[in-house]
């Protein structure tokens, strides 16, 4: 009976230790999907519009881009 209690206590301690030590593994970095805010760099103007913005974004490796007034009329690229 003493062996069983000791074994169960030891097993319980292992389970509790494992549950406390693995919480960092479950965390992950949140990455934006869609608009990339830090890619909203160039200011749009009458000479730099959606067409030039989209072309610059494609050159940078994004699928598209457009002028977004919500970011201060900046060219924002999208994945």
């Amino acid at each position: 009976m003493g062996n069983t209690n000791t074994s169960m206590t030891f097993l319980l301690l292992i389970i509790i230790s494992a549950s406390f030590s693995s919480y960092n593994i479950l965390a992950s970095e949140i990455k934006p999907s869609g608009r990339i805010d830090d890619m909203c760099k160039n200011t749009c103007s009458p000479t730099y519009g959606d067409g030039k913005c989209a072309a610059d974004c494609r050159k940078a490796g994004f699928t598209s881009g457009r002028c977004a007034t919500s970011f201060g009329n900046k060219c924002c690229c999208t994945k």
Side-chain angles (χ1 to χ4, degrees), residues 26-40:
L26 299 175
S28 64
E29 181 181 350
I30 298 173
K31 295 181 181 178
S33 61
R35 179 175 290 136
I36 307 299
D37 295 342
D38 64 343
M39 191 54 197
C40 298

Side-chain angles (χ1 to χ4, degrees), residues 1-51:
M1 186 76 171
N3 252 355
T4 305
N5 284 342
T6 304
S7 297
M8 291 304 288
T9 303
F10 185 67
L11 180 63
L12 183 61
L13 287 176
I14 290 174
I15 292 171
I16 291 172
S17 297
S19 68
F20 283 125
S21 66
S22 66
Y23 72 94
N24 282 335
I25 296 170
L26 299 175
S28 64
E29 181 181 350
I30 298 173
K31 295 181 181 178
S33 61
R35 179 175 290 136
I36 307 299
D37 295 342
D38 64 343
M39 191 54 197
C40 298
K41 294 182 179 179
N42 298 330
T43 303
C44 295
S45 67
T47 57
Y48 187 90
D50 284 334

Side-chain angles (χ1 to χ4, degrees), residues 62-76:
F62 295 92
T63 57
S64 186
R66 67 178 182 85
C67 294
T69 56
S70 58
F71 288 96
N73 201 29
K74 298 276 186 177
C75 171
C76 295

